[in-house]
Amino acid sequence: MNNIAVVLAGGQGKRMKSDSPKVLCNVLGEPMLEWVISACESAGLEKLCVVKGFCAEKIDEYLAARKSKSEVTAVLQAEQLGTGHAVMMTEEFLKANAGGNVLILNGDAPFIDAETINSALDEHTSTGSAVTVVTAKIDDPKGYGRIIRGANGFEAIVEHKDCTPEQLAVNEVNSGCYWFGTADLLEALGEITTDNAQGEYYLTDCIEILLKKGRTVGAFTSCNPSVVLGANDRRALLELNNIARMEIIGRHLDNGIEFTCTDGVSVGRAVTIGRGTVIHAGTELRGNTVIGENCVIGRNCILENVTVGSGVDLNNVQAFDSVIDDDVKIGPFVQVRPGCHIKRGAKIGDFVEIKNSTIGEYTAVAHLTYVGDSDVGANVNFGCGVVTVNYNGEKKFRTVIGDNAFIGCNTNLVAPVKIGNSAYTAAGSTITKDVPDNALAIERGKQDIKADYAVKKLAHHRQKLEDKKNGKK
Amino acid sequence: MNNIAVVLAGGQGKRMKSDSPKVLCNVLGEPMLEWVISACESAGLEKLCVVKGFCAEKIDEYLAARKSKSEVTAVLQAEQLGTGHAVMMTEEFLKANAGGNVLILNGDAPFIDAETINSALDEHTSTGSAVTVVTAKIDDPKGYGRIIRGANGFEAIVEHKDCTPEQLAVNEVNSGCYWFGTADLLEALGEITTDNAQGEYYLTDCIEILLKKGRTVGAFTSCNPSVVLGANDRRALLELNNIARMEIIGRHLDNGIEFTCTDGVSVGRAVTIGRGTVIHAGTELRGNTVIGENCVIGRNCILENVTVGSGVDLNNVQAFDSVIDDDVKIGPFVQVRPGCHIKRGAKIGDFVEIKNSTIGEYTAVAHLTYVGDSDVGANVNFGCGVVTVNYNGEKKFRTVIGDNAFIGCNTNLVAPVKIGNSAYTAAGSTITKDVPDNALAIERGKQDIKADYAVKKLAHHRQKLEDKKNGKK
Amino acid sequence: MNNIAVVLAGGQGKRMKSDSPKVLCNVLGEPMLEWVISACESAGLEKLCVVKGFCAEKIDEYLAARKSKSEVTAVLQAEQLGTGHAVMMTEEFLKANAGGNVLILNGDAPFIDAETINSALDEHTSTGSAVTVVTAKIDDPKGYGRIIRGANGFEAIVEHKDCTPEQLAVNEVNSGCYWFGTADLLEALGEITTDNAQGEYYLTDCIEILLKKGRTVGAFTSCNPSVVLGANDRRALLELNNIARMEIIGRHLDNGIEFTCTDGVSVGRAVTIGRGTVIHAGTELRGNTVIGENCVIGRNCILENVTVGSGVDLNNVQAFDSVIDDDVKIGPFVQVRPGCHIKRGAKIGDFVEIKNSTIGEYTAVAHLTYVGDSDVGANVNFGCGVVTVNYNGEKKFRTVIGDNAFIGCNTNLVAPVKIGNSAYTAAGSTITKDVPDNALAIERGKQDIKADYAVKKLAHHRQKLEDKKNGKK
């Protein structure tokens, strides 16, 4: 069977006051459209058609940059003439994939999920329905279209403003997501009109038409009430962020992850965390980040696409597109830029940046150091203030450091340069030539002493202490 | 017409347990008194009199330091004998400005706003009232004086403890803010007595007196229910902070600003933000900060009196009294101290401090660098660990760096010093003399190698790796 | 009288999905068991017996590492046969300390407090009761055992599932904490059976037995409703953290401490703070931290076992096991590692690490500096990028710096080394030998200039600026 999806993504969302289409507004760092498309992909749907409208080129850019598992095409709805009109734009797509069913979704209702999609499809096909409305029961149905069920099942969707007092009390509402038989949809689309107050084509009219034709129309109640949620302004968008945030945190709590305080904590949808790990306040985990067991992450870490082993301790660390092995300890105040591999047992201390480098097992980079474009062996000790000089104004070069090497404080390692195993560089040296294994490299002048030089020089400075002490009396 | 204001600011606020007058307790970093005075100034009132009492000298200090648009004077209420008594202290001020109306406000009710002040005045004058009480309708009126209205309008303010059950149900309450005809107030003040349980002079008695004299007394209902809020203890003060925080964030949301998570976010009253800008968690925007469009600010930024262009990205940046132009990227872990101008397209990386300096267009200061008292040209590249040596123990001097210069890693630039256009300094050099355009400056010794020096020196260090590896087996 | 306590700590807490016993799960950074034991110790109880079960060795480790004021022993409950069975395991302990009363507590109900323990004991002894149940009245009693009182006082504890509708409405509930006459408990324990649905020994059966024997049984209502709270999963544990967090913050608010925004703020139980001090968002105060008056702490500080004087300003500082005197200013982005004493009026700026060092009065360490294993005098000025080279790969050594010294930028002080009073080191020098008082030490080569060296070298770099400027047009 050829089951496909159509995602409505044409709206501007004027109240967002954005230069982008509404569906590109982010929830937990990902466009709402991404949430919807990826739910379809998780549900196994292989062909999607996105209906674009406002700032259509931004939708194209977004889709072009996306690594899609499914085949995603887009059609333009040049004029905004209603949801039915939007779906009419996909006529070609529907005809090319007829013979199955089509899921119609709103691109700005990000919390649709694969289980809902598939369970609704099961019900849709097993009942032989022409259309199945996805619904949910919610505490406060105000503003939503109510699902009216009668003795024979689904009867109607009644908009809030048209409800009788009895209907207002109904708490099952329309999510705006539907499974149609593709042929049924095409048939009904041909019959809807703009004969209504707004002069628009309504997709919901298709349902009425199919009902009148005596087709089976069903309503599937999702157990995820969030499927009905969308955002028309920045306040609602913030609310969606908060709902997603707490929902995902709750799932990790259930898996045995400890959160000491969730203030400022945000965990992306795709992130996995091992049990026994503690997440502290202010921590953001993004993208395809994977964290092992019994780690301590936070406060105030940002990890994006980082693979972290077990027993790792990160304190005020920002890390991107890197791998951190077991038992590594990093922080506070450290940046790990893309392309790093920090191996087991390494220790990275305060005010250190590591970029595009491998740090060997048990190596220590304690403070105020920049390691860039380097291959560092095991058990290396970096003094404070070491700099790998990887750029000469023209090109970048690599630094190679052997096992057990000892790099003195404030050493410049001018790449390309190689420091041998168990080699030693003296503090304050600028190393421009390779250092053999076991050798000491030193670049330093002679220390001169000029007696009493500072007597006059620091007179003013010394006076300050006197002033401060007197000022305090 | 001569319209003036009297701000009651004499209270200690014992439960604050502070050494300052209660009105100097802060909401969003500004004293409550500042909120009240600036609301009066926004409303166009030109003469204010502050009644001080507890720690009066701190009120004087505060007013002296304040840049007032209006003429603000202060009078002392030496004894705390009630609100009526406090206003009596301003008799001279009132007489000197008679012939108009006077607004009486509580200095510890910070959320009074210019629109409420002026709309209440309009009603006050158009109805020819002797006094107009500013009121608001609130959800939980417990503890507040109720506004009792009858067939002929305003009838009385009844304190909570004196209310009948019917009156308790009234949700319109007294804000403690009033417009009086100045002459009416002076007349009524002369007639109030301490003939009550507390033996104090109550300002509200003036209202009753004027009513009894047959004068018109009105009540203006503000549409801002927060005008009634005040704080008597630190819990209530925290609550005022939260209300102000979320109120201001809400206003920016409505303007098209994106907040991904408001935890720890605080935006000062005067801050402006362009649409499309994203504010991340933990960010505090203070003072007269101005932010352009499509920026990303946060996490954990503090900006105070900073002007930020458009397309700027700040991550974990603290910046004060500076200007940051379009398309600048800064962070993480950076401090921009007062007096900086970071020009278009510049990039400032991790662990960098910039102070009292200009950074030219497209210049990069990537890591672990201090640029102080410097004028830096365009497209300059700073290596890691560069220091502008601006202080010699006696005086501070400036460093000047030309366009396209390349400053090597761990270079000391000993000011006063000038690096020419497209000049180059070698890594590890201490530069004490000017460098001409296009020249290389190098201060460095010869690299010596002492073979096998480290064999014994690092024996202990090498052993540690063996121990660690064995320990893990 | 010999009053003792038994703490039930055998449970696994399966839903925690932890490799540790449930009682070792943390609330505000301390195991729940620690909260319970320390409450007993605060109440003056001198002998405690902990009943361990799941992962008993971790309880042993925890107790061995703990500095106990009381005598704490542990017994093993090898099989989990109910609370009565757990207490049976302590028979020897009870017999050895008979003749008094025994407090039975749940190790996973952390909010029991000394006042409740002692007030309950007072009631227990003054009424001559065989057992006194500690209870509390709570808003939502769902799930808790209800306390049924009749004309003659305590009648029964009825589990939620066994309650009549009338009993369900009772909001006084069992905390699971009891005072027993020790002899009474021993007697009753001998009579309980596993004759119930679960086939377990219930401690509550002891109460029924004693009632039937005609002994006096009482119920003491604690005024702290949190005594009944426990945690069976990570969600509930997070909730306990939040309750503890806000409870402790509330106590400090009442003491005159200002909190501007409590997001991410966590204050440990033992922390003391002086009035007038402001705590900003994201700040965590741990262990035995003591803070003086009129300080500003935060944003984003972590202090653990730190003693802070008055008038101190800390911004983005992490400090551990150290002392910071009055009027010190530190931050942003600073780490103070264990063993530091920062004396009055010192200033520590950005990207500085201090470790195991004394910093004298009014000394300034402004930026990008590491001071380790050092004794620094008063009024010393550190340039930017100074490093105390305290480790040579074999051993660590100390650096000593006299009063009024001036340490030039990017100086290496190779320990052991002594810098005299009012001595001066030139920027970029590596100092390996002692510097006498008032002397200048300089280690530096000659600055060479190679004219036009950079013309070709930076051609590519210069071109980039042109490209950027053109790209922007």
Side-chain angles (χ1 to χ4, degrees), chain A residues 14-206:
Chain A
K14 258 191 193 168
R15 287 192 282 153
M16 292 290 182
K17 299 188 179 169
S18 171
D19 303 328
S20 281
K22 187 168 72 166
V23 295
L24 293 185
C25 284
N26 283 342
V27 171
L28 290 193
E30 295 180 275
M32 292 194 283
L33 181 58
E34 176 62 32
W35 288 72
V36 174
I37 293 181
S38 62
C40 292
E41 292 184 338
S42 296
L45 300 177
E46 290 171 359
K47 288 188 184 177
L48 280 70
C49 184
V50 174
V51 183
K52 60 194 178 184
F54 179 74
C55 281
E57 72 288 356
K58 294 203 174 169
I59 300 284
D60 290 335
E61 272 169 41
Y62 164 71
L63 292 175
R66 188 178 187 276
K67 287 184 197 151
S68 297
K69 284 195 289 185
S70 57
E71 188 186 317
V72 184
T73 53
V75 297
L76 181 68
Q77 179 191 22
E79 286 177 291
Q80 307 300 308
L81 300 175
T83 48
H85 179 255
V87 177
M88 286 175 193
M89 302 300 105
T90 70
E91 188 177 355
E92 206 173 308
F93 172 74
L94 296 175
K95 285 183 174 162
N97 296 284
N101 302 289
V102 57
L103 179 69
I104 311 287
L105 306 111
N106 285 318
D108 61 350
F111 298 143
I112 187 73
D113 61 281
E115 199 196 313
T116 295
I117 292 172
N118 281 329
S119 301
L121 177 60
D122 286 349
E123 189 167 305
H124 177 73
T125 53
S126 68
T127 55
S129 293
V131 54
T132 299
V133 182
V134 175
T135 74
K137 292 182 177 171
I138 60 176
D139 290 341
D140 180 11
K142 198 176 162 189
Y144 290 93
R146 304 300 200 285
I147 302 301
I148 308 305
R149 291 174 183 269
N152 301 316
F154 177 90
E155 283 186 353
I157 300 167
V158 181
E159 293 309 312
H160 182 85
K161 63 176 175 9
D162 302 326
C163 279
T164 64
E166 194 174 52
Q167 289 170 335
L168 281 176
V170 171
N171 74 341
E172 183 178 11
V173 302
N174 179 18
S175 72
C177 168
Y178 318 91
W179 274 110
F180 278 92
T182 308
D184 299 299
L185 177 60
L186 282 164
E187 180 186 338
L189 276 177
E191 300 178 24
I192 61 176
T193 68
T194 58
D195 189 12
N196 55 49
Q198 271 70 39
E200 293 193 348
Y201 293 100
Y202 292 135
L203 182 60
T204 43
D205 286 354
C206 292

Side-chain angles (χ1 to χ4, degrees), chain A residues 250 254 259 263 275 299 315 350 367 394 406 410 424 444-445 447-448 450 452-454 461-462 472, chain C residues 17 19 235 238 263-264 282 284 318 335 353 362 379 392-393 412 422 432-433 438 440-443 457:
Chain A
D254 291 341
F259 291 77
D263 292 347
R275 52 186 260 176
R299 297 181 159 231
N315 169 1
D350 42 22
H367 18 221
E394 283 180 295
F406 185 96
N410 267 329
Y424 195 109
R444 189 186 293 166
Q447 176 180 331
D448 288 333
K450 301 192 179 182
D452 296 328
Y453 169 93
H461 175 66
R462 276 194 304 270
K472 294 287 160 180
Chain C
K17 300 189 177 168
D19 304 329
R235 287 178 191 259
L238 173 59
D263 292 347
E284 183 173 5
Q318 297 201 6
Q335 183 176 201
E353 173 185 337
Y362 305 107
N379 198 41
N392 69 355
N412 294 298
S422 300
T432 53
K433 289 172 259 178
N438 301 312
L440 163 74
I442 181 165
E443 178 274 318
K457 187 96 177 176

